[in-house]
Amino acid sequence: LGTPATAPEIAEAPGGGRTALFNEPGPEVTAEELAAFTRHYISLLNDAQAVVISGSLPRGVPADVYATLAALAAERGVPAIVDADGEPLRHAPGGRPAIVKPNADELARAVPGGTPAQGAEALRERGAGAVVVSMGADGLLAVTGEGTFRARMPYTVQGNPTGAGDALVAGLALGLVEQTPWPDRLRRAAALGAAAVATPVAGEFDPGVYAAIHPLISLS
């Protein structure tokens, strides 16, 4: 949304393929536009069961806006998931979101030093209800009010990782709405992320991969 224009980021994908990511600059948002968006957002919360707040910020938007949006949702009894990086991630726990979902690198930037579990606990202490850290092929780490859980993948799914994090967050959001116990919530989210990797196009997932890997994900 708001990342600066850069040369394409090219990385090796599992299986020897290559993934190219092109980031274009987002629009500059005025204070009036942000106020109008916030009013509309509040109106949509009346019918929402959960909200996902994610991505980079457009120019002109304050770094704590995700915390503000999460707080507005919490005030209305709507659980929010924040998936962000940098300053938006550091500010996010102040809005008391139900879940903050960084990956391991984003967490290390937000809370330098220490283990992923220590970094996740630090974000919880700042106000997040739970912190779920996506760790790629190593699965998920969740630090919650009910305890700490690890979801470990049985094998690496090869393909295109673009969009896998979004599929994972969709699984977490569904778990919030259905009030699924944390172990089941993490297993479904991890399986959805893997099933998204298996498809060549971001935004899709492979139901067969999901069905095959879901029962094999171990929880501890």
Side-chain angles (χ1 to χ4, degrees), residues 72-111:
L72 288 169
E75 289 169 4
R76 290 157 178 81
V78 180
I81 301 176
V82 177
D83 182 4
D85 192 7
E87 286 301 309
L89 173 59
R90 279 188 279 271
H91 285 286
R96 301 196 173 277
I99 300 174
V100 172
K101 205 294 297 171
N103 63 36
D105 291 338
E106 291 164 346
L107 178 62
R109 286 191 288 270
V111 187

Short mmCIF file of all heavy atoms in Angstrom, two decimals, residues 72-111:
data_model
loop_
_atom_site.label_atom_id
_atom_site.label_comp_id
_atom_site.label_asym_id
_atom_site.label_seq_id
_atom_site.Cartn_x
_atom_site.Cartn_y
_atom_site.Cartn_z
N LEU A 72 -10.76 1.14 18.21
CA LEU A 72 -12.15 1.42 17.83
C LEU A 72 -12.94 0.12 17.71
O LEU A 72 -14.12 0.05 18.09
CB LEU A 72 -12.18 2.19 16.51
CG LEU A 72 -11.72 3.64 16.57
CD1 LEU A 72 -11.54 4.20 15.16
CD2 LEU A 72 -12.70 4.48 17.37
N ALA A 73 -12.30 -0.92 17.17
CA ALA A 73 -12.97 -2.21 17.07
C ALA A 73 -13.21 -2.81 18.45
O ALA A 73 -14.31 -3.30 18.76
CB ALA A 73 -12.13 -3.17 16.22
N ALA A 74 -12.18 -2.75 19.32
CA ALA A 74 -12.31 -3.32 20.66
C ALA A 74 -13.43 -2.65 21.45
O ALA A 74 -14.16 -3.31 22.20
CB ALA A 74 -10.98 -3.21 21.40
N GLU A 75 -13.57 -1.33 21.28
CA GLU A 75 -14.62 -0.61 21.98
C GLU A 75 -16.01 -1.11 21.60
O GLU A 75 -16.96 -0.98 22.38
CB GLU A 75 -14.52 0.89 21.66
CG GLU A 75 -13.32 1.57 22.29
CD GLU A 75 -13.11 2.97 21.73
OE1 GLU A 75 -13.94 3.42 20.92
OE2 GLU A 75 -12.11 3.60 22.10
N ARG A 76 -16.11 -1.69 20.41
CA ARG A 76 -17.41 -2.19 19.93
C ARG A 76 -17.51 -3.70 20.01
O ARG A 76 -18.41 -4.30 19.42
CB ARG A 76 -17.62 -1.68 18.49
CG ARG A 76 -17.85 -0.17 18.45
CD ARG A 76 -17.52 0.45 17.11
NE ARG A 76 -17.80 1.88 17.16
CZ ARG A 76 -16.97 2.77 17.69
NH1 ARG A 76 -15.82 2.40 18.23
NH2 ARG A 76 -17.29 4.06 17.70
N GLY A 77 -16.57 -4.31 20.72
CA GLY A 77 -16.63 -5.75 20.92
C GLY A 77 -16.22 -6.57 19.72
O GLY A 77 -16.57 -7.74 19.62
N VAL A 78 -15.48 -5.96 18.78
CA VAL A 78 -15.05 -6.67 17.58
C VAL A 78 -13.56 -6.98 17.69
O VAL A 78 -12.75 -6.06 17.82
CB VAL A 78 -15.30 -5.82 16.31
CG1 VAL A 78 -14.83 -6.57 15.07
CG2 VAL A 78 -16.77 -5.45 16.20
N PRO A 79 -13.17 -8.24 17.67
CA PRO A 79 -11.75 -8.57 17.78
C PRO A 79 -10.99 -8.19 16.52
O PRO A 79 -11.51 -8.35 15.40
CB PRO A 79 -11.75 -10.10 17.98
CG PRO A 79 -13.03 -10.56 17.34
CD PRO A 79 -14.02 -9.45 17.57
N ALA A 80 -9.79 -7.68 16.69
CA ALA A 80 -8.98 -7.23 15.56
C ALA A 80 -7.68 -8.01 15.51
O ALA A 80 -7.10 -8.36 16.53
CB ALA A 80 -8.67 -5.73 15.67
N ILE A 81 -7.23 -8.28 14.30
CA ILE A 81 -5.91 -8.85 14.05
C ILE A 81 -5.09 -7.79 13.33
O ILE A 81 -5.54 -7.22 12.33
CB ILE A 81 -5.98 -10.12 13.17
CG1 ILE A 81 -6.84 -11.19 13.84
CG2 ILE A 81 -4.58 -10.66 12.90
CD1 ILE A 81 -7.03 -12.43 12.99
N VAL A 82 -3.89 -7.51 13.83
CA VAL A 82 -2.98 -6.57 13.17
C VAL A 82 -1.80 -7.34 12.62
O VAL A 82 -1.11 -8.07 13.34
CB VAL A 82 -2.50 -5.48 14.14
CG1 VAL A 82 -1.49 -4.56 13.44
CG2 VAL A 82 -3.68 -4.66 14.65
N ASP A 83 -1.57 -7.18 11.31
CA ASP A 83 -0.44 -7.82 10.62
C ASP A 83 0.35 -6.70 9.96
O ASP A 83 -0.04 -6.20 8.90
CB ASP A 83 -0.98 -8.82 9.60
CG ASP A 83 0.13 -9.56 8.86
OD1 ASP A 83 1.32 -9.35 9.18
OD2 ASP A 83 -0.20 -10.34 7.95
N ALA A 84 1.43 -6.28 10.60
CA ALA A 84 2.16 -5.10 10.13
C ALA A 84 3.63 -5.24 10.44
O ALA A 84 4.08 -6.22 11.04
CB ALA A 84 1.58 -3.84 10.78
N ASP A 85 4.39 -4.22 10.06
CA ASP A 85 5.84 -4.21 10.27
C ASP A 85 6.25 -2.83 10.76
O ASP A 85 5.47 -1.87 10.67
CB ASP A 85 6.54 -4.56 8.95
CG ASP A 85 8.03 -4.86 9.11
OD1 ASP A 85 8.51 -4.94 10.26
OD2 ASP A 85 8.71 -5.01 8.08
N GLY A 86 7.45 -2.71 11.28
CA GLY A 86 8.01 -1.41 11.63
C GLY A 86 7.24 -0.69 12.71
O GLY A 86 6.74 -1.27 13.65
N GLU A 87 7.11 0.64 12.54
CA GLU A 87 6.44 1.46 13.54
C GLU A 87 4.96 1.08 13.74
O GLU A 87 4.49 1.05 14.88
CB GLU A 87 6.55 2.94 13.15
CG GLU A 87 7.93 3.53 13.38
CD GLU A 87 8.35 3.43 14.85
OE1 GLU A 87 7.56 3.83 15.72
OE2 GLU A 87 9.46 2.93 15.10
N PRO A 88 4.20 0.76 12.68
CA PRO A 88 2.82 0.33 12.91
C PRO A 88 2.74 -0.90 13.81
O PRO A 88 1.83 -1.00 14.65
CB PRO A 88 2.30 0.03 11.50
CG PRO A 88 3.12 0.91 10.61
CD PRO A 88 4.48 0.93 11.23
N LEU A 89 3.69 -1.82 13.67
CA LEU A 89 3.70 -3.00 14.53
C LEU A 89 4.05 -2.62 15.96
O LEU A 89 3.44 -3.11 16.92
CB LEU A 89 4.69 -4.03 13.99
CG LEU A 89 4.96 -5.26 14.88
CD1 LEU A 89 3.67 -6.03 15.15
CD2 LEU A 89 5.99 -6.17 14.22
N ARG A 90 5.02 -1.74 16.13
CA ARG A 90 5.42 -1.35 17.49
C ARG A 90 4.29 -0.64 18.22
O ARG A 90 4.12 -0.79 19.43
CB ARG A 90 6.67 -0.47 17.42
CG ARG A 90 7.97 -1.25 17.27
CD ARG A 90 9.18 -0.36 17.40
NE ARG A 90 9.45 0.34 16.15
CZ ARG A 90 10.21 -0.14 15.17
NH1 ARG A 90 10.77 -1.33 15.30
NH2 ARG A 90 10.42 0.55 14.07
N HIS A 91 3.51 0.14 17.49
CA HIS A 91 2.39 0.85 18.11
C HIS A 91 1.16 -0.03 18.32
O HIS A 91 0.33 0.26 19.19
CB HIS A 91 1.98 2.04 17.24
CG HIS A 91 2.91 3.21 17.32
ND1 HIS A 91 2.97 4.04 18.41
CD2 HIS A 91 3.82 3.70 16.42
CE1 HIS A 91 3.86 4.99 18.20
NE2 HIS A 91 4.40 4.80 17.00
N ALA A 92 1.01 -1.08 17.51
CA ALA A 92 -0.24 -1.85 17.46
C ALA A 92 -0.74 -2.35 18.81
O ALA A 92 -1.94 -2.26 19.09
CB ALA A 92 -0.09 -3.03 16.50
N PRO A 93 0.12 -2.89 19.70
CA PRO A 93 -0.41 -3.41 20.96
C PRO A 93 -1.16 -2.38 21.79
O PRO A 93 -2.03 -2.75 22.59
CB PRO A 93 0.84 -3.91 21.69
CG PRO A 93 1.81 -4.24 20.59
CD PRO A 93 1.57 -3.18 19.57
N GLY A 94 -0.86 -1.09 21.61
CA GLY A 94 -1.55 -0.06 22.36
C GLY A 94 -3.04 -0.01 22.09
O GLY A 94 -3.81 0.50 22.92
N GLY A 95 -3.47 -0.53 20.94
CA GLY A 95 -4.90 -0.58 20.61
C GLY A 95 -5.58 -1.82 21.13
O GLY A 95 -6.76 -2.03 20.86
N ARG A 96 -4.85 -2.66 21.86
CA ARG A 96 -5.37 -3.91 22.43
C ARG A 96 -6.05 -4.80 21.40
O ARG A 96 -7.19 -5.25 21.59
CB ARG A 96 -6.30 -3.62 23.61
CG ARG A 96 -5.61 -2.84 24.73
CD ARG A 96 -6.35 -2.87 26.03
NE ARG A 96 -5.54 -2.24 27.09
CZ ARG A 96 -4.58 -2.84 27.79
NH1 ARG A 96 -4.31 -4.11 27.53
NH2 ARG A 96 -3.91 -2.22 28.71
N PRO A 97 -5.35 -5.10 20.30
CA PRO A 97 -5.92 -6.04 19.32
C PRO A 97 -5.97 -7.44 19.92
O PRO A 97 -5.19 -7.80 20.81
CB PRO A 97 -4.93 -5.97 18.16
CG PRO A 97 -3.63 -5.58 18.79
CD PRO A 97 -4.00 -4.65 19.92
N ALA A 98 -6.88 -8.25 19.41
CA ALA A 98 -6.99 -9.63 19.88
C ALA A 98 -5.74 -10.43 19.52
O ALA A 98 -5.27 -11.25 20.31
CB ALA A 98 -8.23 -10.29 19.28
N ILE A 99 -5.21 -10.18 18.32
CA ILE A 99 -4.02 -10.89 17.84
C ILE A 99 -3.12 -9.92 17.09
O ILE A 99 -3.59 -9.13 16.27
CB ILE A 99 -4.38 -12.06 16.90
CG1 ILE A 99 -5.27 -13.09 17.61
CG2 ILE A 99 -3.12 -12.74 16.37
CD1 ILE A 99 -5.78 -14.20 16.68
N VAL A 100 -1.83 -9.98 17.36
CA VAL A 100 -0.82 -9.33 16.53
C VAL A 100 -0.06 -10.46 15.83
O VAL A 100 0.35 -11.43 16.47
CB VAL A 100 0.14 -8.46 17.37
CG1 VAL A 100 1.29 -7.97 16.51
CG2 VAL A 100 -0.61 -7.29 17.96
N LYS A 101 0.12 -10.36 14.51
CA LYS A 101 0.68 -11.47 13.73
C LYS A 101 1.90 -11.02 12.93
O LYS A 101 1.84 -10.78 11.73
CB LYS A 101 -0.39 -12.05 12.80
CG LYS A 101 -0.17 -13.51 12.40
CD LYS A 101 1.05 -13.75 11.54
CE LYS A 101 0.98 -13.06 10.20
NZ LYS A 101 2.30 -13.17 9.48
N PRO A 102 3.08 -10.90 13.58
CA PRO A 102 4.29 -10.63 12.81
C PRO A 102 4.93 -11.93 12.32
O PRO A 102 4.62 -13.01 12.83
CB PRO A 102 5.20 -9.96 13.85
CG PRO A 102 4.81 -10.65 15.13
CD PRO A 102 3.32 -10.93 15.03
N ASN A 103 5.80 -11.82 11.33
CA ASN A 103 6.67 -12.95 11.07
C ASN A 103 7.93 -12.79 11.92
O ASN A 103 8.08 -11.80 12.65
CB ASN A 103 6.99 -13.10 9.57
CG ASN A 103 7.75 -11.91 9.00
OD1 ASN A 103 8.59 -11.29 9.66
ND2 ASN A 103 7.46 -11.57 7.75
N ALA A 104 8.83 -13.75 11.86
CA ALA A 104 9.97 -13.74 12.76
C ALA A 104 10.85 -12.50 12.55
O ALA A 104 11.33 -11.91 13.51
CB ALA A 104 10.78 -15.02 12.58
N ASP A 105 11.06 -12.11 11.29
CA ASP A 105 11.90 -10.94 11.02
C ASP A 105 11.23 -9.65 11.50
O ASP A 105 11.89 -8.77 12.06
CB ASP A 105 12.19 -10.84 9.52
CG ASP A 105 13.11 -11.94 9.03
OD1 ASP A 105 13.85 -12.52 9.86
OD2 ASP A 105 13.08 -12.24 7.81
N GLU A 106 9.92 -9.53 11.28
CA GLU A 106 9.20 -8.34 11.73
C GLU A 106 9.23 -8.23 13.25
O GLU A 106 9.40 -7.14 13.81
CB GLU A 106 7.76 -8.39 11.23
CG GLU A 106 7.64 -8.23 9.72
CD GLU A 106 6.29 -8.66 9.18
OE1 GLU A 106 5.52 -9.31 9.91
OE2 GLU A 106 6.00 -8.33 8.01
N LEU A 107 9.08 -9.36 13.92
CA LEU A 107 9.12 -9.36 15.39
C LEU A 107 10.50 -8.95 15.88
O LEU A 107 10.62 -8.16 16.83
CB LEU A 107 8.77 -10.74 15.92
CG LEU A 107 8.82 -10.91 17.44
CD1 LEU A 107 7.81 -10.00 18.12
CD2 LEU A 107 8.58 -12.36 17.82
N ALA A 108 11.56 -9.43 15.23
CA ALA A 108 12.91 -9.09 15.65
C ALA A 108 13.18 -7.60 15.47
O ALA A 108 13.92 -7.00 16.26
CB ALA A 108 13.92 -9.92 14.85
N ARG A 109 12.58 -7.00 14.45
CA ARG A 109 12.77 -5.55 14.27
C ARG A 109 11.97 -4.76 15.31
O ARG A 109 12.41 -3.70 15.76
CB ARG A 109 12.33 -5.14 12.86
CG ARG A 109 13.31 -5.55 11.78
CD ARG A 109 12.98 -4.91 10.45
NE ARG A 109 11.79 -5.47 9.83
CZ ARG A 109 11.81 -6.51 8.99
NH1 ARG A 109 12.96 -7.11 8.71
NH2 ARG A 109 10.69 -6.95 8.44
N ALA A 110 10.81 -5.27 15.67
CA ALA A 110 9.96 -4.56 16.64
C ALA A 110 10.49 -4.70 18.06
O ALA A 110 10.40 -3.76 18.86
CB ALA A 110 8.53 -5.07 16.56
N VAL A 111 11.02 -5.88 18.38
CA VAL A 111 11.54 -6.15 19.72
C VAL A 111 12.93 -6.76 19.55
O VAL A 111 13.09 -7.99 19.55
CB VAL A 111 10.62 -7.11 20.50
CG1 VAL A 111 11.09 -7.23 21.95
CG2 VAL A 111 9.18 -6.66 20.46
#
